[in-house]
Amino acid sequence: MDRPDLDDDETGPIRRITDEVSPSPGGTPRKPVRRTPPDGARRRTDTGPQRVPAPGPQRAAGRQDTGPQRPARRGDTGPQRVPAKPRTAKKPEPPAETGHGHGHGHGPAAPASKRVRLLLIWLLAPLAVATVAGMIVLYPWGKPDPTSVVPQGTPVAANITATTTGPCLAQGQVQVGDQTDPNAKPCLTTDLTMTDGPASGKQLKLTVPIEPSTPRFSAGDAVVLAYNGGNAGDPASFQLVDFQRGTPLLVLAALFAVAVLVLGRWQGLAALVALGLSFLVIALFILPAILAGENPLVVAIAGSGAIMFIALYLTHGLTARTSAAVLGTLASLALIGVLSAIFSAAASLTGLDDSTSTLIGSLGHGIDSRGLLLAGVVIGALGVLDDVTVTQTSAVWELRRANPDLSWQELYRSGLRIGRDHVGSAVNTLVMAYAGAALPVLLYSSISGVGLGALLGSEEIAQEIIRTLAGSVGIVAAVPVTTVLAALIASREPAGYLSSTTKVVPSHP
């Protein structure tokens, strides 16, 4: 006779358990009676549904009892397993994704908890407000756009159709005989066709002295002329100044954009947008404010702060991790600015190199040349600082997610060990960048015939040394500063928030 307590009901199959349930005469199950294993037998761990032993006579002697057996029931096709109800973990706020499976750290960073968000708001909100207020105050509202007092000419495009080399002759002058001065420098006579400007489509002949410092033009080159506004038919109104480089630059920019998009995808697109906005900040705020006579260092700090907020948050998202990188970058930029100001004053640097002297002559009024030098140091170090600070915060967050029991001191020590490996390459990157930019100055100084001490103490070389060393000190300081900030913030994140965006892959039975 079938036992009623073993029948399936409308909710599904009944799970069989190891403890036998003895029914009462009224059909109500009694308290489970736990079996006691025989002496010397190893206790088995209940790993799931077990078969229920059959009532009735015992098995024949001499056969080893291998455990509870299934009752011989008519219509019973075998043990039926009931899927265990998945355990439900306590959900943090906002609710975390739960389930049985293997976690993989895919997807964006987890949202910060409420207390971490409040902490970051209190730290970053005043800095963001100060950045915006500084840009508003420093922007040259209502002032006319500065113009050069030295005529530069209007750029006009043209194509060279033919070139000849010969003596330098003025317009309309003709050489008589074959006698030439052997010490006279030759000139290059070019036949050009104007492609735009007031004389578009017309032919033009220009003579260019051949000097070691002048470009080498040849037939087929696309060139740029400077038009001074005079008679468009007079060759004296034009001057051959440079090559056209628009097409190669556009092709290279397109290759760069494709490479970033292929590798970075949506994050790469965000990085390109951030790069474009950074150039807008430089072109629409930093340059006009400095040209209007504002302090270049203060303008550079405000502009760099705006670039940093835009680039980091747009590329890496509005997360606690990015906010820690922003704080570390700001602290390091302030340190670089202070060190540059102190040591440039101590070294009596004027900032009056060739390019700055040309700028002052074109403006027609003075400019803070030392401040312009310091502004270049701050802006130049910003890109490397972003790389260091983002790397350090990401390392600390991954350490915290891998082991939520780590204290902030342990996170700091582990992150600092990672940062030591990174800082060497970052400093080398900055040194090589400055050395590459100053290569002509280095070459010129090496052939000047002066001693090493005088060479290093010259204005041009000393500027690059202070740029490099002040920026490198800021990069080195960015590692511990950013790591300790990230450790303090990450250690206050509940463990559930560190893995709330972890992708869950169902396990296989």
Side-chain angles (χ1 to χ4, degrees):
M1 179 177 180
D2 294 340
R3 294 171 57 183
D5 61 300
L6 296 178
D7 292 337
D8 299 338
D9 58 12
E10 66 273 9
T11 62
I14 302 299
R15 182 184 179 188
R16 291 3 177 212
I17 59 176
T18 303
D19 298 332
E20 183 180 0
V21 180
S22 301
S24 62
T28 303
R30 298 177 183 175
K31 183 178 179 181
V33 179
R34 183 174 301 276
R35 292 180 178 273
T36 303
D39 295 338
R42 180 180 300 176
R43 182 178 299 274
R44 296 179 57 188
T45 303
D46 184 13
T47 59
Q50 305 294 330
R51 298 180 178 179
V52 181
Q58 299 294 328
R59 299 190 176 196
R63 295 185 60 184
Q64 183 179 359
D65 186 9
T66 58
Q69 303 297 325
R70 179 171 62 91
R73 293 176 51 203
R74 185 173 58 188
D76 187 3
T77 59
Q80 301 183 15
R81 297 184 62 183
V82 180
K85 185 177 180 180
R87 298 178 181 179
T88 304
K90 185 178 180 181
K91 300 180 180 180
E93 297 178 1
E97 191 174 349
T98 59
H100 180 64
H102 306 287
H104 302 277
H106 302 299
S113 59
K114 183 177 180 181
R115 59 180 179 179
V116 171
R117 288 199 303 268
L118 290 176
L119 173 64
L120 293 174
I121 289 174
W122 279 104
L123 291 174
L124 287 174
L127 299 176
V129 171
T131 299
V132 175
M135 294 180 68
I136 294 175
V137 171
L138 295 172
Y139 188 79
W141 302 100
K143 295 182 180 179
D145 295 335
T147 57
S148 175
V149 297
V150 178
Q152 301 293 329
T154 304
V156 175
N159 292 325
I160 297 178
T161 57
T163 60
T164 56
T165 302
C168 298
L169 300 176
Q171 182 68 24
Q173 187 178 4
V174 179
Q175 181 181 2
V176 179
D178 296 332
Q179 299 296 325
T180 59
D181 185 359
N183 296 322
K185 294 181 179 181
C187 286
L188 181 70
T189 302
T190 60
D191 295 331
L192 304 105
T193 300
M194 313 291 289
T195 57
D196 65 0
S200 179
K202 295 183 178 181
Q203 302 295 320
L204 189 67
K205 187 183 294 289
L206 292 179
T207 300
V208 181
I210 299 178
E211 299 282 351
S213 59
T214 57
R216 296 294 183 263
F217 299 102
S218 60
D221 288 340
V223 295
V224 177
L225 308 179
Y227 173 56
N228 61 15
N231 182 11
D234 185 4
S237 300
F238 297 90
Q239 183 180 0
L240 183 58
V241 293
D242 209 346
F243 294 96
Q244 296 182 33
R245 301 184 178 91
T247 301
L249 294 178
L250 289 176
V251 172
L252 182 58
L255 289 175
F256 166 73
V258 170
V260 172
L261 292 175
V262 169
L263 182 62
R265 299 184 181 180
W266 288 111
Q267 191 171 10
L269 178 61
L272 291 177
V273 174
L275 180 62
L277 293 176
S278 299
F279 276 115
L280 288 179
V281 172
I282 294 175
L284 300 181
F285 169 69
I286 294 180
L287 299 183
I290 293 177
L291 291 175
E294 301 292 344
N295 188 299
L297 179 59
V298 178
V299 172
I301 292 175
S304 298
I307 292 173
M308 179 198 57
F309 278 109
I310 293 172
L312 290 181
Y313 280 123
L314 186 59
T315 304
H316 303 284
L318 193 64
T319 63
R321 179 185 305 183
T322 308
S323 299
V326 169
L327 289 172
T329 304
L330 280 174
S332 302
L333 277 179
L335 177 61
I336 290 174
V338 170
L339 288 176
S340 301
I342 292 175
F343 286 96
S344 63
S348 300
L349 292 181
T350 62
L352 293 173
D353 53 10
D354 293 339
S355 58
T356 305
S357 300
T358 303
L359 171 64
I360 293 176
S362 300
L363 283 175
H365 61 79
I367 193 173
D368 186 359
S369 57
R370 181 182 295 172
L372 194 61
L373 168 66
L374 300 178
V377 174
V378 172
I379 297 175
L382 179 60
V384 183
L385 280 177
D386 288 350
D387 175 46
V388 172
T389 55
V390 169
T391 300
Q392 286 305 112
T393 54
S394 297
V396 170
W397 248 261
E398 291 303 320
L399 290 169
R400 165 74 169 149
R401 186 165 67 171
N403 188 356
D405 296 330
L406 292 177
S407 63
W408 76 266
Q409 295 93 338
E410 294 169 327
L411 288 173
Y412 171 73
R413 287 192 292 268
S414 299
L416 194 60
R417 285 193 291 270
I418 299 173
R420 290 192 185 103
D421 295 333
H422 189 203
V423 70
S425 61
V427 170
N428 188 65
T429 299
L430 187 63
V431 171
M432 292 300 102
Y434 283 136
L439 188 58
V441 177
L442 295 174
L443 292 173
Y444 172 74
S445 300
S446 64
I447 63 174
S448 60
V450 299
L452 180 61
L455 175 64
L456 297 179
S458 62
E459 176 79 19
E460 293 82 2
I461 302 299
Q463 286 184 10
E464 301 306 324
I465 291 175
I466 289 182
R467 287 176 193 267
T468 302
L469 295 183
S472 299
V473 170
I475 291 173
V476 173
V479 172
V481 170
T482 306
T483 304
V484 71
L485 289 172
L488 289 171
I489 295 172
S491 62
R492 284 162 172 75
E493 286 275 59
Y497 284 88
L498 298 173
S499 58
S500 62
T501 58
T502 299
K503 184 178 179 180
V504 177
V505 179
S507 60
H508 301 286

